[in-house]
């Protein structure tokens, strides 16, 4: 997050704009522009060297009118209550736009997970659950992975919760490892979901994907599978990925003129998204500064790292060739940059539509946990594609009807559904 970018203010201002256009009543706006509940707690962790370290943990439950709160847990050094609030609010819209029966929540802790040993990470994850477990549960609030958290961490958290309540409860958390209540297809779900929406957008814009190029920011879970999907499913070329190197504490853009090989890059990338520089150079990759990805002559930009990346300060550097921004990350574009993208007629697939694939397969995972019956990989991806395609078309239709950009249209679809659920439950 850059100093001038407060994601919660951004989330509220996006909501306020559309609430105005929809002429929502004051009390409805009041409920939706703030979370229903917020928790902040301390987590004391025994470190390997015998000392104790105390971390701050958060969980924010934005809205649960449509079902249990749902959303990931981020472990990031810059986490704040405001980042978690924004992300929780976006989860409410994401679940609504994907039309899955869940509300919005988000969690976090302020730390750099790459600085912890495996044992310390396990104790931290168990401590996070100990601090909040009375407010979690398959029918209350169901966390999942996000930046800095992994399936293994979800597995420890599920175990801790199950031990505390005295009952095996896989549905308390999603994104668990396959073999421990996880769903096939969950790992690639967010990135592939991004690509399903890009495919639909290309149909709309009458672009042939096989002739298209992309630049990707990030090389964590979302960026890796978005890159793989862009190459393997669409037949396009990814010219570069930009990622943070935790050894150098610097971000680099890794490029190849004839297109990167995402499976190769994935094979030389660690669990924190740091690419092995020596191996990349040996394979003919060029390293450029971290912000070079944004200025490349490509058809599609896929920001798939964190919030606040495309701003008034750099939006003018986007190449004239760019026709589409597919927001794999949550909140990558500032409202000022959004205005410029609109003026330049760049088609934006907004974050909570574009990256809804992860939570959609999380929903499938919890359905499988409830039924204790697990689906084939192919069935998961087929249903994911159906959900993403339907969501995309619904938002596009709203954009046409109301003559608004895709972000505002996505808000309109989502807000309508949440308000309807609140009305039906008698909250309004
Ligand atoms: N953290 C992911 C997101 O931002 C997934 C959430 C989930 O699966 O609950 O959408």
């Amino acid at each position: 997050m850059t100093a001038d970018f407060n994601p919660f203010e951004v989330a509220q201002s996006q909501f306020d704009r559309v609430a105005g256009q929809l002429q929502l009543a004051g009390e409805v706006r009041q409920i939706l522009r703030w979370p229903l509940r917020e928790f902040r707690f301390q987590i004391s962790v025994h470190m390997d060297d015998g000392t104790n370290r105390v971390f701050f943990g958060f969980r924010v439950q934005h809205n649960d009118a449509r079902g249990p709160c749902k959303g990931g847990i981020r472990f990031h050094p810059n986490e704040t209550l405001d980042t978690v609030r924004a992300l929780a609010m976006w989860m409410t819209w994401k679940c609504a736009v994907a039309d899955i029966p869940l509300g919005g929540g988000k969690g976090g802790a302020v730390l750099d997970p790459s600085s912890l040993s495996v044992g310390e990470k396990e104790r931290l994850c168990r401590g996070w659950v100990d601090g909040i477990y009375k407010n979690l549960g398959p029918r209350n609030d169901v966390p999942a992975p996000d930046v800095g958290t992994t399936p293994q961490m979800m597995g420890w958290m599920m175990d801790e919760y199950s031990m505390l309540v005295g009952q095996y409860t896989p549905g308390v958390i999603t994104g668990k490892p396959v073999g421990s209540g996880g769903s096939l297809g969950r790992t690639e779900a967010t990135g592939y979901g991004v690509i399903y929406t890009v495919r639909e957008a290309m149909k709309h814009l009458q672009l042939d994907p096989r002739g298209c190029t992309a630049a990707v920011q990030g090389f964590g879970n979302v960026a890796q599978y978005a890159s793989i999907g862009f190459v393997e499913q669409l037949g396009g070329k990814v010219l570069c990925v930009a990622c943070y190197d935790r050894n150098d504490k610097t971000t680099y853009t890794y490029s190849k003129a004839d297109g990167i090989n995402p499976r190769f890059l994935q094979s030389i990338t660690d669990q924190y998204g740091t690419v092995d520089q020596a191996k990349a150079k040996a394979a003919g990759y060029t390293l450029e500064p971290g912000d070079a990805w944004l200025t490349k002559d490509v058809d599609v930009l896929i920001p798939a790292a964190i919030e606040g990346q495309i701003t008034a300060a750099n939006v003018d550097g986007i190449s004239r060739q760019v026709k589409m921004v597919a927001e794999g990350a949550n909140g990558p574009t500032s409202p000022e940059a959004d205005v410029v993208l609109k003026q330049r007629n760049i088609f934006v697939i907004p974050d909570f539509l574009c990256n809804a694939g992860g939570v959609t397969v999380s929903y499938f995972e919890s359905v499988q946990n409830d039924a204790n019956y697990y689906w084939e990989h192919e069935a998961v991806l087929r249903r994911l594609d159906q959900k993403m395609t339907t969501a995309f078309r619904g938002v596009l239709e709203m954009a046409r009807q109301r003559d608004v950009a895709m972000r505002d249209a996505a808000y309109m679809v989502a807000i309508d559904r949440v308000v309807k659920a609140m009305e039906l439950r008698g909250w309004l």
Side-chain angles (χ1 to χ4, degrees), residues 70-73 91 94 106 142-146 174 186 190 330 355-356 358-360 362:
K70 187 79 193 81
I73 303 169
M91 286 308 303
K94 191 179 303 189
K106 202 82 178 197
V142 183
D146 201 289
T174 61
R186 177 64 185 82
T190 315
N330 291 312
N355 70 32
V359 75
T360 299
S362 277

Side-chain angles (χ1 to χ4, degrees), residues 20 27 62-63 93 129 167 193 233 236 269 336 349 352 369 418:
E27 69 274 20
H62 175 259
N63 190 280
W93 313 134
V129 171
Q167 206 165 49
Q233 293 171 23
T269 300
E336 298 76 26
I349 312 174
F352 64 81
N369 292 154
V418 175

Side-chain angles (χ1 to χ4, degrees), residues 5-16:
F5 187 90
N6 179 326
F8 188 48
E9 284 171 13
V10 171
Q12 284 189 320
S13 81
Q14 290 171 344
F15 169 75
D16 290 342

Side-chain angles (χ1 to χ4, degrees), residues 184-261:
L184 293 169
R186 177 64 185 82
T187 303
E188 55 273 45
T190 315
Y192 281 8
V194 167
I195 294 308
Y196 299 150
T197 65
V198 169
R199 181 195 65 208
E200 292 306 305
M202 285 183 173
K203 283 185 202 161
H204 168 65
L205 299 174
Q206 298 183 325
L207 295 171
D208 178 359
R210 282 161 307 177
C212 284
T213 51
V216 176
Q217 186 193 33
F219 207 57
N221 170 268
V222 180
Q224 287 177 18
Y225 286 97
S227 303
I228 290 171
F230 197 88
V231 173
E232 294 182 0
Q233 293 171 23
L234 300 184
K237 280 188 182 148
V238 175
L239 297 191
C240 66
V241 299
C243 41
Y244 183 72
D245 188 304
R246 68 189 174 95
N247 306 314
D248 292 9
K249 308 229 175 308
T250 308
T251 307
Y252 298 100
T253 300
Y254 292 80
S255 312
K256 229 176 173 197
D258 56 348
I260 64 148
N261 176 344

Side-chain angles (χ1 to χ4, degrees), residues 113-135:
S114 71
S115 68
L116 303 181
S117 71
V118 174
E120 288 165 348
K121 280 191 279 209
E122 177 171 352
R123 293 192 288 280
L124 169 77
C125 288
R126 291 184 184 277
W128 193 92
V129 171
D130 296 345
I132 187 72
Y133 81 98
K134 287 190 178 151
N135 296 287

